[in-house]
Amino acid sequence: MLLHLQRSPAASRGRLLPGLATAWEQTSPTTWRFKLRAGVKFQDGTPFNAAAVANALARAQNEALPIQVARQKRSTFCVRSPLCISPSL
């Protein structure tokens, strides 16, 4: 999970907290840039990096899968460096 939403009963809106993304910024109305946590590996030992995130996001949009996260619009993913990715709607 790149980010997670912290909710409190007193707050009507939650706040985003870092997960596997250490920083993020909105660079345009439809584009975000995520800086990824260094040194993270998947359970099988492969590195967690921008290419892995782009692959996971692209796979989630695959219409052949029973569950999709982005049914209405296709996103593009710019891998800016091994630890930086910019998805765009």
Side-chain angles (χ1 to χ4, degrees), residues 1 3-4 9 11-12 15-16 20 27 31 37-38 41-43 47 50 56-57 67 69 78 80 83 87:
M1 166 181 328
L3 307 170
H4 65 276
S12 62
R15 67 180 184 135
L16 292 176
L20 292 172
T27 58
T31 303
R37 188 172 307 282
K41 294 189 182 281
F42 287 102
Q43 181 176 327
L57 293 173
I67 298 173
V69 295
C78 177
R80 304 181 86 59
L83 293 176

Side-chain angles (χ1 to χ4, degrees), residues 3-52:
L3 307 170
H4 65 276
L5 188 62
Q6 180 185 46
R7 293 196 180 263
S8 70
S12 62
R13 294 173 47 129
R15 67 180 184 135
L16 292 176
L17 298 174
L20 292 172
T22 58
W24 54 92
E25 66 177 317
Q26 189 169 12
T27 58
S28 80
T30 60
T31 303
W32 286 80
R33 181 172 296 149
F34 294 94
K35 304 283 183 173
L36 305 179
R37 188 172 307 282
V40 176
K41 294 189 182 281
F42 287 102
Q43 181 176 327
D44 66 358
T46 57
F48 170 75
N49 55 32

